[in-house]
Amino acid sequence: MMKTLGIITEYNPFHKGHAYMIEEAKRKAGADRVVVVMSGSFVQRGEPAIFDKWTRTEAALLNGVDLVLELPVLFAAANAETFARAAVRILEESGIVDVLCFGSEIGNLYSLQEAAKVMANETEEFQRLLKEQLDEGLSYPAARAKALETVSHINSQILSRPNDILGLEYLKALDYYSCSMEPMTIRREGDYNSPSLTEGFASAAAIRKALAEGRSTEAMTQLPENTHNLYNKALSLGTAPVFWEELAPALHYKLRTTSAEDIKEMAEVVEGLENRILHSIDSCYEMKDIMDFIKTKRYTRTKIQRILLHILLDIKEKEVAYFLNLPKMPYIRVLGFQKERSDILADLTENARCPVLTNLKKAPDILNEDGLALLALEKTATDLHALAYPNPIYRGPNLDFTKPLVIL
């Protein structure tokens, strides 16, 4: 019986640390195959992915992944809980994944499970403490960490590191959906905050920074050698690197033509933030300045980025809730697979609990109204991402319908 490992990821971009994690996870789980659920055009921080999703899919398939599935943008560019719940659900509803593996800074599954239990069953005391911390002006993540430490013996550090935070949400989701998948964690090597490209495994942030500064040769030292041609091709054609800044004109147009009432409806917009957002464009033009204007002690830059993306894509709070609470996922979309492991695609098609999309042109025949609406949003997100390509000749629409499945 084949044992299949599931990983939730962004690969923004795929680097040596990711290759290490796949290798280590396969060894630890005794797995034969690897399925990943990957963010598409935009990532959980609300930013555009630095390379397009097909390039990132190919990099993953070159380095031990057998099947890449897409996490729809409605969930991919959401808060950690929504991101995790949707991604876990896709893996569970694929019907083929035995073990869910994730990286964590702590590397201790028991500690994460204990913290996840406390968070999944928030007591009145926890909620009271959380409200007190929020009223003092702390951001939600900081307030939650303080409240957790007060009501339990758990170190609040576990809620301050990105992989640990997502790990907790994956564990909560596994429990919420009564999943059959077993959890497993791999300790993350290297410092996710470090700007260095020379010590151990560099962080994706350090690699993106190098690419932004035109230091691609330096960045390549941290990317698997078998991906260099792939990444260099995207860089030389001008379909990468993709950055938020290029979307400032689109955001300005959207904000100039949207009312405060409409902005209030967008996902994650709370407590009068819509007015602050609208006033930002009175004096700011660049994306960084707009975010600095809107940002407060209580709202992290990441949250602001996501809100601005929700405005650009017209993602409303009620839509996120609606899709998250459907009895099953509207579809599972395949971005690519290993040709010599095509059995995995056959297994997916046979065992999935919802429609499997490999060719988007067939979508109207196999998807219901919800599926078509979610896919239409995906097309909009891909079109928006393409508008930020450095080379204008590649900024055309409909890439979701013209780019073939990645088969290696």
Side-chain angles (χ1 to χ4, degrees):
M1 186 74 178
M2 285 278 192
K3 192 170 189 183
T4 305
L5 186 73
I7 299 173
I8 297 161
T9 189
E10 301 198 301
Y11 294 155
N12 187 32
F14 188 99
H15 55 64
K16 287 179 178 177
H18 295 131
Y20 163 81
M21 191 242 186
I22 291 167
E23 210 176 288
E24 189 63 11
K26 275 183 85 171
R27 185 191 63 75
K28 194 173 170 183
D32 309 285
R33 314 185 296 190
V34 178
V35 177
V36 302
V37 175
M38 185 183 81
S39 304
S41 299
F42 290 85
V43 297
Q44 201 257 328
R45 291 173 57 83
E47 298 167 331
I50 198 160
F51 290 93
D52 69 66
K53 55 192 171 190
W54 296 278
T55 300
R56 285 158 41 240
T57 294
E58 191 170 337
L61 293 174
L62 283 167
N63 288 281
V65 172
D66 299 298
L67 177 71
V68 180
L69 309 174
E70 180 172 48
L71 180 60
V73 69
L74 186 83
F75 309 117
N79 63 35
E81 184 175 31
T82 301
F83 175 96
R85 273 180 59 179
V88 165
R89 210 168 167 198
I90 287 172
L91 288 176
E92 180 70 8
E93 291 185 14
S94 74
I96 60 172
V97 178
D98 305 296
V99 179
L100 169 64
C101 182
F102 56 90
S104 64
E105 284 83 11
I106 193 171
N108 183 317
L109 186 62
Y110 177 77
S111 298
L112 288 165
Q113 286 173 319
E114 289 299 293
K117 274 181 208 161
V118 175
M119 286 166 58
N121 304 292
E122 291 181 358
T123 59
E124 280 181 27
E125 187 193 0
F126 180 88
Q127 289 179 341
R128 179 182 59 76
L129 287 165
L130 181 64
K131 187 180 181 304
E132 278 176 17
Q133 304 296 343
L134 288 170
D135 289 344
E136 282 180 26
L138 286 183
S139 68
Y140 182 80
R144 190 174 66 163
K146 251 189 164 174
L148 180 77
E149 194 165 49
T150 308
V151 300
S152 69
H153 60 281
I154 294 155
N155 189 325
S156 65
Q157 255 204 322
I158 214 168
L159 276 175
S160 64
R161 297 172 297 208
N163 293 285
D164 285 347
I165 291 168
L166 279 170
L168 291 169
E169 295 299 345
Y170 298 146
L171 293 169
K172 279 170 60 185
L174 285 172
D175 186 51
Y176 184 86
Y177 292 116
S178 304
C179 294
S180 58
M181 296 182 292
E182 288 291 318
M184 183 179 96
T185 191
I186 300 286
R187 187 182 173 87
R188 192 192 185 287
E189 298 290 325
D191 178 5
Y192 68 90
N193 266 329
S194 172
S196 170
L197 283 176
T198 52
E199 300 163 25
F201 294 125
S203 68
I207 295 166
R208 290 194 298 273
K209 185 173 185 289
L211 290 170
E213 293 167 358
R215 296 183 286 120
S216 63
T217 308
E218 209 179 322
M220 289 296 157
T221 62
Q222 286 297 332
L223 307 173
E225 208 169 304
N226 63 4
T227 63
H228 290 189
N229 288 344
L230 176 69
Y231 288 134
N232 280 323
K233 184 183 176 187
L235 293 169
S236 61
L237 287 175
T239 60
V242 176
F243 296 109
W244 242 129
E245 286 66 31
E246 302 307 313
L247 296 175
L251 180 66
H252 265 266
Y253 171 75
K254 194 76 175 178
L255 290 177
R256 291 175 193 193
T257 54
T258 307
S259 68
E261 280 307 300
D262 285 341
I263 290 175
K264 202 176 179 176
E265 307 257 301
M266 299 299 161
E268 297 193 72
V269 174
V270 286
E271 299 162 348
L273 205 54
E274 66 274 10
N275 299 312
R276 201 174 176 88
I277 290 166
L278 275 184
H279 286 313
S280 69
I281 58 167
D282 294 344
S283 56
C284 307
Y285 191 80
E286 298 298 330
M287 209 57 116
K288 180 188 177 300
D289 298 333
I290 291 170
M291 287 184 211
D292 286 344
F293 182 96
I294 301 166
K295 190 181 177 299
T296 66
K297 188 181 173 187
R298 184 158 178 178
Y299 303 111
T300 62
R301 189 181 181 84
T302 299
K303 186 182 175 82
I304 300 301
Q305 282 186 163
R306 283 201 303 267
I307 288 172
L308 295 179
L309 179 62
H310 296 153
I311 292 168
L312 275 167
L313 295 175
D314 202 25
I315 296 175
K316 297 182 174 66
E317 188 67 53
K318 63 182 180 190
E319 288 171 340
V320 178
Y322 173 79
F323 278 98
L324 200 58
N325 292 304
L326 285 173
K328 63 180 182 179
M329 292 300 284
Y331 61 78
I332 289 176
R333 180 186 180 184
V334 178
L335 287 174
F337 65 95
Q338 283 273 14
K339 199 174 189 175
E340 58 187 46
R341 301 306 290 271
S342 56
D343 59 305
I344 201 168
L345 190 60
D347 286 354
L348 173 69
T349 310
E350 191 182 323
N351 293 289
R353 293 163 212 163
C354 57
V356 174
L357 265 183
T358 52
N359 181 347
L360 267 55
K361 288 168 187 161
K362 293 180 180 172
D365 301 326
I366 61 172
L367 299 188
N368 62 16
E369 203 178 320
D370 289 333
L372 290 171
L374 197 61
L375 192 60
L377 177 63
E378 210 57 53
K379 178 196 175 298
T380 305
T382 307
D383 287 352
L384 181 67
H385 186 268
L387 280 180
Y389 286 179
N391 190 339
I393 69 168
Y394 293 108
R395 291 179 190 163
N398 300 317
L399 289 174
D400 275 313
F401 291 85
T402 56
K403 282 267 196 183
L405 208 60
V406 181
I407 305 170
L408 280 197

